[in-house]
Amino acid sequence: MSTDVFDLSAAKMRDKGMSEVSINQFKHLYETWERGDAKACVREKDVTPLKDVPRTKDIHDAMDMDMALDAFSRTAFIKLNGGLGTSMGLEKAKSLLPIRRHKARRMRFLDIIMGQVLTARKRLGVPLPLIFMNSFRTSRDTMRVVKQDRRFVQNDVPMEIIQHIEPKIDADTGRPVDFPAKPDLEWCPPGHGDIFSTIWETGLLDTLKKQGIDYLFISNSDNLGARPSRTLAGYFAQSGAPFMIEVAKRTEADRKGGHIVIDKASGRLILREMSQVDPHDRSSAMSIRKHPYFNTNSIWVRVDALRDKLAQYDGVLPLPIIENRKTVDPTDPSTPPVVQLETAMGSAASLFDGAICVQVDRMRFLPVKTTDDLFIMRSDRFHLTDSYEMEDGNYDFPNVQLDERYYKYIADFDERFPYGVPSLAAANSVTIEGDWTFGRDVTLYADAHLSDQGRSSYVPNGQYVGPQGIEPDEWV
C-alpha cells in the first residue's frame, strides 16, 4: 500500500475536525499494521517470567501511613469510560448500567465510582480529582449524571477528557471504510492506550501539576474493585518508579488473558497479550505456574515521568498495536469486514526504565465484561458497603455460563430475572442452558444446572436449583 492510501484516512480525519496529534497517532498505528508488525510475537525464549511480586497485604503492614496519606493527597483518579457496552446490547455508556441497590437506591457503575471518591475525600481530607476519559458516544450521558450529583464538586481540574477516534479500515483495501447507511459506524476508538496522547493534547498534566498532583491512578470504569488506595499511592511514591501495574494471581479462568513478562534484552516489563504469543509458546504462556500473574489494567504513573516521555515522542507513544478484525456494523456479520487498530494502556510499561508491578488481591479486580459477570455482581455474593466497596467473603466466585441465545444482551437478561438474580451463596458453578425465566427467591447451590427444555421454561418462586435441576418439592 502506498502513502496515498493512508492520506485518504488523514484527509477524512481532518474533514472531521480532528487534531494533528490524533492523526499522527493513527499514522503510527497504520504504518505499524501495514508493515505486518501487529502480528509480531513476543517469544518465550526472549522473556523471563515475572515472579515474587510484592503483595499489597505485606506492603500495608509495613507502610508509614502518614507518608502514604501525603502521597494520596497528591494523586488524581482517571477512569476509562469510553465503552458503550455493545457486547451486552447497550447503546449508552456501560457505566450507566445499574449494578445493584443500596439502601433502596439504584446504583450504577458511575454512582459507585463517585461514591468511592467522595468517601476518600471526606474520610481522609484529600482533594482526589476524578477525571473520566469519555468517548464522543459516552460524554453527554456520563456528564449529565455527574453534574446531577450535588455532592460532587470539582472546580480546578476538568472532570472529563475526550478520547480520540479513528477511521475503521477496509480489510481488503486499507482505505477508510465507507458506510453511508450509518456513518457513525465508520469510526472507532483507538483502544485504551489512547489515554496518553489524549492526556498530552488536553494539557491535563500541566493542570494537575499546578494543583500539586504528582501521581495518576488509571483504571477501567467497569472494574469496581479498582478503588482509590492510600496504601498503593504510598507504595508507588516510596518506590520512586515511573510506572506501576497492578497484577493479580492467575487462576485457570485467567489463562488466556494478558500477562506481564520481563524482556531479557532490555530488562523492561512487557505486557504480552495472547494475540502476541507464538503458537509454539502457547502452552508455556498459559501456564499459571510459569506465569503466575495477570494484568488487571489498573496502572499508576508519575506525572513528571509521563510528561517527559510524551514530550520525547511529541505526544504519540510508540506502543505495540492490536489488530481487531470485525465487520463495520458489529451486530451485522453481512456488512463489510474492517480492521480496527488499537493499543493497550499497560503496554506503555515497556517504555520506562524501572517500571514495577504490585500484586493486589482479587477484590481489586471485579470487571463486568459480560452478563455472566453481571449475574455475579448483582447476586448475594456481594454487599455494597456504605463506603461503596463491593464486598465479598473470599472473592472466589462460581463459574457462571448463561446461554448466550437468551442472556447475552441486557434487555433479554433483565426480562428473565424480573425479581433479581437468584441466590449464589451456596453455588460452586452455574450453567443455564435454554430459555429460563426465574421467579422470586430462587436459590442456586452446588453445581447448579438447568438443561434446555426446547421451550420457554420457568423456575417457580422459592425453588432450589442444583446439579439435577429444580429440586422436587417432596424429599424421599
Side-chain angles (χ1 to χ4, degrees), residues 375-376 379-381 398 400 421-428 430 442-444:
F375 184 83
I376 297 172
S379 77
D380 58 356
R381 288 300 304 263
V400 172
V421 302
S423 169
L424 289 184
N428 297 322
V430 176
V442 173
T443 297
L444 306 181

Side-chain angles (χ1 to χ4, degrees), residues 160-377:
E160 74 165 343
I161 55 178
I162 305 296
Q163 71 181 102
H164 296 121
I165 57 173
E166 64 186 24
K168 296 179 182 177
I169 299 301
D170 186 288
D172 297 322
T173 66
R175 295 167 174 261
V177 73
D178 187 36
F179 196 58
K182 294 182 180 179
D184 275 358
L185 293 179
E186 297 174 4
W187 301 88
C188 63
H192 42 67
D194 179 57
I195 180 71
F196 302 114
S197 60
T198 299
I199 284 176
W200 173 259
E201 187 171 7
T202 57
L204 179 64
L205 296 177
D206 292 330
T207 300
L208 292 172
K209 285 298 289 185
K210 289 177 183 177
Q211 298 301 318
I213 299 298
D214 292 322
Y215 313 108
L216 301 178
F217 172 49
I218 310 173
S219 61
N220 291 336
S221 64
D222 64 7
N223 178 11
L224 294 176
R227 306 184 309 277
S229 168
R230 172 177 47 167
T231 300
L232 288 171
Y235 177 70
F236 182 51
Q238 199 172 47
S239 73
F243 195 101
M244 182 171 78
I245 301 174
E246 294 187 22
V247 297
K249 274 295 187 103
R250 287 169 105 187
T251 66
E252 289 298 320
D254 308 310
R255 294 167 66 236
K256 296 181 180 180
H259 54 282
I260 309 298
V261 293
I262 302 169
D263 180 41
K264 287 181 178 178
S266 67
R268 290 179 174 178
L269 299 179
I270 298 176
L271 169 60
R272 181 169 67 169
E273 303 286 358
M274 290 309 293
S275 60
Q276 297 171 289
V277 174
D278 186 275
H280 296 94
D281 296 333
R282 196 166 178 82
S283 61
S284 292
M286 292 175 65
S287 168
I288 64 176
R289 177 174 293 182
K290 186 171 186 179
H291 296 285
Y293 306 105
F294 71 89
N295 170 39
T296 68
N297 209 44
S298 294
I299 68 169
W300 296 76
V301 189
R302 201 170 291 261
V303 170
D304 287 343
L306 180 58
R307 186 168 58 182
D308 290 347
K309 189 62 66 175
L310 283 164
Q312 178 183 344
Y313 291 104
D314 295 323
V316 179
L317 298 182
L319 304 178
I321 78 164
I322 301 166
E323 179 187 77
N324 198 348
R325 290 187 172 265
K326 296 188 175 183
T327 52
V328 63
D329 183 346
T331 65
D332 184 355
S334 69
T335 56
V338 296
V339 173
Q340 297 180 197
L341 301 177
E342 304 175 2
T343 58
M345 178 174 71
S347 64
S350 64
L351 301 176
F352 291 91
D353 288 321
I356 62 174
C357 291
V358 61
Q359 180 187 339
V360 298
D361 296 329
R362 202 73 184 207
M363 63 187 295
R364 288 189 63 81
F365 185 67
L366 304 172
V368 176
K369 302 299 182 185
T370 67
T371 51
D372 291 356
D373 300 327
L374 183 65
F375 184 83
I376 297 172
M377 295 289 276

